[in-house]
Amino acid sequence: MTLDGVIVADFSRILAGPICTQTLADLGADVVKVERPDGGDDTRGWGPSYFATANRGKRSVTLDLKDAGDVELARELIRRADVVVESFRPGVMERLGLSPALNPRAAWCSITAFGDADLPGYDLLLQAVSGLMHVTGFPDGPPVKVGAALVDVVCGLHAAIGILAKLKAGEGGRFEVTLMDSALVSLVNQASAYLNEGREPSRMGNQHPSIAPYEVFGDLAIACGNDQMFRRLTITIDRPELADDPRYATNEARVENRASLTDAVSAALADGTDWAERLNSNGVPAGKVNSISEAFEQAQRLGLEPVWEADGVRMVRSPLRGLANKTTRPPALGEHDDEIRSWLRPPSPGGSASGA
């Protein structure tokens, strides 16, 4: 596999860092997850499934970083690693004597909330302070968070990209990925509208600020990204005259006259027809708003085989098809203590260290 033989020392916890290191594990890296003895990763206490979402394919070792002997084992792990990932608050690793100086050849990724600002950060907080929550929800309702921990996921994936770039270049050294940067970059067109047009985006529910129709009608999502798609939509719903109406002939005009267009399309869709299939068959992107169970069922029907299972643990398949292979279940806390501690301890005089 792509990262066979790459050793990753994973000092991260919760979600962003573990998403990063799980991605590396999916690509074949040997990820050694360092956990505290008294409970391990925080997410082990967040319900039976949360930890499983970001920790498959890893080995777990418990190290007490307040214990001098365990700190020395942590140092040895860093010395042997090709990659180090940590998500402590700024300065904590250095105070423990765990710094990039131990292994200049290792790609060292520090994941923080706000960079050098010594502030804690969770996904909910970052969605709030980054502006993401400000543009999520309906105009007449309160700001709401995205239904999954989007900032953590984006941060973890950017961290993995940076590590892969370091490995490709064959260079070590520290780089940083912050939750705040990751949240801001997740704003994409909304951020660009502010930066380049001076426009403060606001909540629009399921509508798009610069494309129409691109929204949800009842429980049907329709996404017309260009004029040709819109014309096919009007033909399919038996309203071809809408495409020739000057109010709707171009995307710019449709955005300007969004309210009346939404009313017209809603009325045409209200006859109870199963529109998703008809629209898709005519080249119009459309789909039902699925529940989670329905989403997995649809992915299975489409032949995507979206679930991996290992030792009774069901996991969402890696999207890196053709690169990532099915892997092992998430480890129990300290499951690999004996083998990893034995590997990290220096050999006794006249002896040799065992491999892991």
Side-chain angles (χ1 to χ4, degrees):
M1 289 177 66
T2 305
L3 297 183
D4 278 349
V6 173
I7 297 173
V8 179
D10 182 5
F11 290 88
S12 69
R13 69 188 198 284
I14 304 183
L15 195 55
I19 285 285
C20 166
T21 53
Q22 177 175 268
T23 301
L24 302 179
D26 286 346
L27 293 172
D30 178 9
V31 178
V32 178
K33 183 176 180 68
V34 177
E35 302 189 69
R36 66 177 194 275
D38 57 339
D41 191 309
D42 295 19
T43 60
R44 288 189 184 274
W46 293 3
S49 299
Y50 207 111
F51 180 81
T53 198
N55 290 285
R56 64 174 172 241
K58 303 178 186 180
R59 297 190 291 160
S60 170
V61 61
T62 55
L63 296 179
D64 181 356
L65 297 184
K66 296 179 181 178
D67 176 84
D70 279 8
V71 169
E72 185 50 46
L73 290 179
R75 290 177 181 143
E76 183 61 23
L77 175 59
I78 290 171
R79 293 185 188 105
R80 299 186 185 202
D82 303 291
V83 175
V84 178
V85 179
E86 56 94 3
S87 59
F88 288 99
R89 286 167 70 165
V92 171
M93 289 287 277
E94 286 75 10
R95 288 197 294 272
L96 292 170
L98 305 173
S99 75
L102 289 169
N103 184 357
R105 69 175 180 81
W108 184 296
C109 177
S110 294
I111 296 175
T112 65
F114 299 98
D116 291 337
D118 188 12
L119 297 170
Y122 283 84
D123 185 272
L124 173 68
L125 174 64
L126 269 298
Q127 288 199 35
V129 302
S130 68
L132 180 59
M133 195 179 292
H134 178 75
V135 297
T136 306
F138 286 87
D140 56 353
V144 297
K145 71 178 183 67
V146 179
L150 176 67
V151 177
D152 279 332
V153 172
V154 172
C155 182
L157 294 177
H158 276 94
I161 291 169
I163 289 166
L164 293 174
K166 283 273 194 183
L167 292 174
K168 176 65 167 62
E171 63 182 37
R174 179 181 179 273
F175 72 98
E176 183 177 24
V177 183
T178 77
L179 291 172
M180 186 64 167
D181 287 332
S182 300
L184 292 174
V185 80
S186 299
L187 292 170
V188 287
N189 57 299
Q190 301 282 38
S192 186
Y194 164 69
L195 293 173
N196 296 295
E197 301 171 30
R199 176 162 53 88
E200 181 71 73
S202 58
R203 292 186 291 284
M204 297 184 63
N206 292 315
Q207 295 181 330
H208 194 287
S210 54
I211 308 173
Y214 195 100
E215 60 185 282
V216 175
F217 299 86
D219 67 349
L220 179 70
I222 297 178
C224 284
N226 58 48
D227 296 341
Q228 291 74 28
M229 286 181 185
F230 177 66
R231 181 169 291 277
R232 290 197 294 269
L233 167 66
T234 65
I235 294 170
T236 307
I237 65 175
D238 299 321
R239 293 293 307 276
E241 73 279 4
L242 292 175
D244 297 319
D245 190 319
R247 295 175 297 169
Y248 314 130
T250 66
N251 180 67
E252 184 178 8
R254 291 192 294 274
V255 170
E256 182 70 23
N257 296 284
R258 185 196 309 273
S260 59
L261 174 61
T262 296
D263 289 343
V265 173
S266 296
L269 296 172
D271 66 358
T273 300
D274 182 1
W275 287 107
E277 184 176 347
R278 285 187 59 182
L279 289 166
N280 281 324
S281 65
N282 288 333
V284 180
K288 177 181 176 292
V289 178
N290 285 332
S291 66
I292 301 296
S293 60
E294 289 169 333
F296 276 97
E297 290 166 4
Q298 180 170 355
Q300 188 65 42
R301 287 197 306 272
L302 294 172
L304 296 178
E305 299 182 357
V307 178
W308 278 343
E309 185 169 345
D311 296 335
V313 179
R314 303 179 76 211
M315 301 163 283
V316 181
R317 178 189 180 122
S318 168
L320 299 173
R321 295 171 181 271
L323 289 176
N325 290 339
K326 185 174 180 180
T327 184
T328 58
R329 60 163 173 78
L333 178 61
E335 180 175 344
H336 305 93
D337 275 358
D338 290 345
E339 65 186 69
I340 294 173
R341 285 175 174 271
S342 175
W343 173 53
L344 294 176
R345 288 191 183 102
S348 57
S352 61
S354 60

PDB file of all heavy atoms in Angstrom, residues 285-300:
ATOM      1  N   PRO A 285     -29.727  17.322 -11.921  1.00  0.00           N
ATOM      2  CA  PRO A 285     -29.316  16.800 -10.618  1.00  0.00           C
ATOM      3  C   PRO A 285     -30.425  16.984  -9.583  1.00  0.00           C
ATOM      4  O   PRO A 285     -30.832  18.105  -9.280  1.00  0.00           O
ATOM      5  CB  PRO A 285     -28.088  17.640 -10.258  1.00  0.00           C
ATOM      6  CG  PRO A 285     -27.592  18.185 -11.557  1.00  0.00           C
ATOM      7  CD  PRO A 285     -28.829  18.404 -12.378  1.00  0.00           C
ATOM      8  N   ALA A 286     -30.931  15.874  -9.059  1.00  0.00           N
ATOM      9  CA  ALA A 286     -32.018  15.929  -8.093  1.00  0.00           C
ATOM     10  C   ALA A 286     -31.973  14.688  -7.226  1.00  0.00           C
ATOM     11  O   ALA A 286     -31.516  13.616  -7.654  1.00  0.00           O
ATOM     12  CB  ALA A 286     -33.371  16.039  -8.794  1.00  0.00           C
ATOM     13  N   GLY A 287     -32.451  14.827  -5.996  1.00  0.00           N
ATOM     14  CA  GLY A 287     -32.480  13.670  -5.115  1.00  0.00           C
ATOM     15  C   GLY A 287     -33.301  13.948  -3.874  1.00  0.00           C
ATOM     16  O   GLY A 287     -33.416  15.097  -3.424  1.00  0.00           O
ATOM     17  N   LYS A 288     -33.851  12.884  -3.311  1.00  0.00           N
ATOM     18  CA  LYS A 288     -34.631  12.983  -2.090  1.00  0.00           C
ATOM     19  C   LYS A 288     -33.727  13.332  -0.914  1.00  0.00           C
ATOM     20  O   LYS A 288     -32.555  12.932  -0.872  1.00  0.00           O
ATOM     21  CB  LYS A 288     -35.325  11.647  -1.840  1.00  0.00           C
ATOM     22  CG  LYS A 288     -36.131  11.569  -0.562  1.00  0.00           C
ATOM     23  CD  LYS A 288     -36.758  10.182  -0.425  1.00  0.00           C
ATOM     24  CE  LYS A 288     -37.499  10.047   0.912  1.00  0.00           C
ATOM     25  NZ  LYS A 288     -36.583  10.055   2.061  1.00  0.00           N
ATOM     26  N   VAL A 289     -34.253  14.076   0.038  1.00  0.00           N
ATOM     27  CA  VAL A 289     -33.526  14.325   1.286  1.00  0.00           C
ATOM     28  C   VAL A 289     -33.604  13.044   2.110  1.00  0.00           C
ATOM     29  O   VAL A 289     -34.644  12.711   2.685  1.00  0.00           O
ATOM     30  CB  VAL A 289     -34.133  15.512   2.066  1.00  0.00           C
ATOM     31  CG1 VAL A 289     -33.388  15.706   3.386  1.00  0.00           C
ATOM     32  CG2 VAL A 289     -34.060  16.787   1.229  1.00  0.00           C
ATOM     33  N   ASN A 290     -32.517  12.303   2.142  1.00  0.00           N
ATOM     34  CA  ASN A 290     -32.488  10.995   2.790  1.00  0.00           C
ATOM     35  C   ASN A 290     -32.237  11.100   4.282  1.00  0.00           C
ATOM     36  O   ASN A 290     -31.531  12.010   4.750  1.00  0.00           O
ATOM     37  CB  ASN A 290     -31.375  10.136   2.195  1.00  0.00           C
ATOM     38  CG  ASN A 290     -31.704   9.585   0.826  1.00  0.00           C
ATOM     39  OD1 ASN A 290     -32.867   9.386   0.497  1.00  0.00           O
ATOM     40  ND2 ASN A 290     -30.681   9.327   0.021  1.00  0.00           N
ATOM     41  N   SER A 291     -32.759  10.130   5.009  1.00  0.00           N
ATOM     42  CA  SER A 291     -32.268   9.894   6.364  1.00  0.00           C
ATOM     43  C   SER A 291     -30.907   9.215   6.253  1.00  0.00           C
ATOM     44  O   SER A 291     -30.477   8.822   5.154  1.00  0.00           O
ATOM     45  CB  SER A 291     -33.239   8.997   7.131  1.00  0.00           C
ATOM     46  OG  SER A 291     -33.261   7.700   6.545  1.00  0.00           O
ATOM     47  N   ILE A 292     -30.207   9.046   7.368  1.00  0.00           N
ATOM     48  CA  ILE A 292     -28.908   8.373   7.329  1.00  0.00           C
ATOM     49  C   ILE A 292     -29.061   6.950   6.814  1.00  0.00           C
ATOM     50  O   ILE A 292     -28.283   6.487   5.968  1.00  0.00           O
ATOM     51  CB  ILE A 292     -28.249   8.379   8.726  1.00  0.00           C
ATOM     52  CG1 ILE A 292     -28.040   9.809   9.227  1.00  0.00           C
ATOM     53  CG2 ILE A 292     -26.924   7.613   8.685  1.00  0.00           C
ATOM     54  CD1 ILE A 292     -27.095  10.627   8.396  1.00  0.00           C
ATOM     55  N   SER A 293     -30.083   6.233   7.309  1.00  0.00           N
ATOM     56  CA  SER A 293     -30.274   4.852   6.861  1.00  0.00           C
ATOM     57  C   SER A 293     -30.567   4.819   5.367  1.00  0.00           C
ATOM     58  O   SER A 293     -30.058   3.951   4.638  1.00  0.00           O
ATOM     59  CB  SER A 293     -31.402   4.187   7.649  1.00  0.00           C
ATOM     60  OG  SER A 293     -32.630   4.873   7.480  1.00  0.00           O
ATOM     61  N   GLU A 294     -31.374   5.745   4.886  1.00  0.00           N
ATOM     62  CA  GLU A 294     -31.695   5.790   3.461  1.00  0.00           C
ATOM     63  C   GLU A 294     -30.469   6.130   2.628  1.00  0.00           C
ATOM     64  O   GLU A 294     -30.299   5.626   1.502  1.00  0.00           O
ATOM     65  CB  GLU A 294     -32.807   6.804   3.206  1.00  0.00           C
ATOM     66  CG  GLU A 294     -34.173   6.366   3.731  1.00  0.00           C
ATOM     67  CD  GLU A 294     -35.198   7.486   3.699  1.00  0.00           C
ATOM     68  OE1 GLU A 294     -34.787   8.678   3.769  1.00  0.00           O
ATOM     69  OE2 GLU A 294     -36.404   7.188   3.630  1.00  0.00           O
ATOM     70  N   ALA A 295     -29.595   6.970   3.162  1.00  0.00           N
ATOM     71  CA  ALA A 295     -28.372   7.327   2.438  1.00  0.00           C
ATOM     72  C   ALA A 295     -27.482   6.104   2.241  1.00  0.00           C
ATOM     73  O   ALA A 295     -26.953   5.872   1.141  1.00  0.00           O
ATOM     74  CB  ALA A 295     -27.615   8.416   3.196  1.00  0.00           C
ATOM     75  N   PHE A 296     -27.317   5.307   3.302  1.00  0.00           N
ATOM     76  CA  PHE A 296     -26.505   4.098   3.162  1.00  0.00           C
ATOM     77  C   PHE A 296     -27.168   3.103   2.204  1.00  0.00           C
ATOM     78  O   PHE A 296     -26.482   2.450   1.412  1.00  0.00           O
ATOM     79  CB  PHE A 296     -26.266   3.458   4.536  1.00  0.00           C
ATOM     80  CG  PHE A 296     -25.106   4.061   5.271  1.00  0.00           C
ATOM     81  CD1 PHE A 296     -25.302   5.052   6.219  1.00  0.00           C
ATOM     82  CD2 PHE A 296     -23.814   3.640   5.014  1.00  0.00           C
ATOM     83  CE1 PHE A 296     -24.238   5.622   6.892  1.00  0.00           C
ATOM     84  CE2 PHE A 296     -22.734   4.196   5.689  1.00  0.00           C
ATOM     85  CZ  PHE A 296     -22.949   5.190   6.628  1.00  0.00           C
ATOM     86  N   GLU A 297     -28.492   2.995   2.271  1.00  0.00           N
ATOM     87  CA  GLU A 297     -29.192   2.097   1.357  1.00  0.00           C
ATOM     88  C   GLU A 297     -29.011   2.530  -0.091  1.00  0.00           C
ATOM     89  O   GLU A 297     -28.781   1.692  -0.982  1.00  0.00           O
ATOM     90  CB  GLU A 297     -30.684   2.063   1.717  1.00  0.00           C
ATOM     91  CG  GLU A 297     -30.981   1.351   3.030  1.00  0.00           C
ATOM     92  CD  GLU A 297     -32.392   1.612   3.529  1.00  0.00           C
ATOM     93  OE1 GLU A 297     -33.163   2.293   2.801  1.00  0.00           O
ATOM     94  OE2 GLU A 297     -32.726   1.157   4.636  1.00  0.00           O
ATOM     95  N   GLN A 298     -29.072   3.834  -0.343  1.00  0.00           N
ATOM     96  CA  GLN A 298     -28.896   4.313  -1.712  1.00  0.00           C
ATOM     97  C   GLN A 298     -27.470   4.067  -2.195  1.00  0.00           C
ATOM     98  O   GLN A 298     -27.250   3.637  -3.338  1.00  0.00           O
ATOM     99  CB  GLN A 298     -29.232   5.795  -1.819  1.00  0.00           C
ATOM    100  CG  GLN A 298     -29.071   6.335  -3.235  1.00  0.00           C
ATOM    101  CD  GLN A 298     -29.623   7.730  -3.406  1.00  0.00           C
ATOM    102  OE1 GLN A 298     -30.226   8.293  -2.508  1.00  0.00           O
ATOM    103  NE2 GLN A 298     -29.419   8.314  -4.579  1.00  0.00           N
ATOM    104  N   ALA A 299     -26.501   4.330  -1.330  1.00  0.00           N
ATOM    105  CA  ALA A 299     -25.109   4.080  -1.723  1.00  0.00           C
ATOM    106  C   ALA A 299     -24.900   2.607  -2.049  1.00  0.00           C
ATOM    107  O   ALA A 299     -24.187   2.264  -3.006  1.00  0.00           O
ATOM    108  CB  ALA A 299     -24.169   4.523  -0.602  1.00  0.00           C
ATOM    109  N   GLN A 300     -25.533   1.731  -1.277  1.00  0.00           N
ATOM    110  CA  GLN A 300     -25.409   0.295  -1.537  1.00  0.00           C
ATOM    111  C   GLN A 300     -26.053  -0.067  -2.867  1.00  0.00           C
ATOM    112  O   GLN A 300     -25.487  -0.830  -3.662  1.00  0.00           O
ATOM    113  CB  GLN A 300     -26.056  -0.497  -0.396  1.00  0.00           C
ATOM    114  CG  GLN A 300     -25.821  -1.999  -0.467  1.00  0.00           C
ATOM    115  CD  GLN A 300     -24.363  -2.369  -0.300  1.00  0.00           C
ATOM    116  OE1 GLN A 300     -23.667  -1.815   0.546  1.00  0.00           O
ATOM    117  NE2 GLN A 300     -23.877  -3.295  -1.119  1.00  0.00           N
TER     118      GLN A 300
END
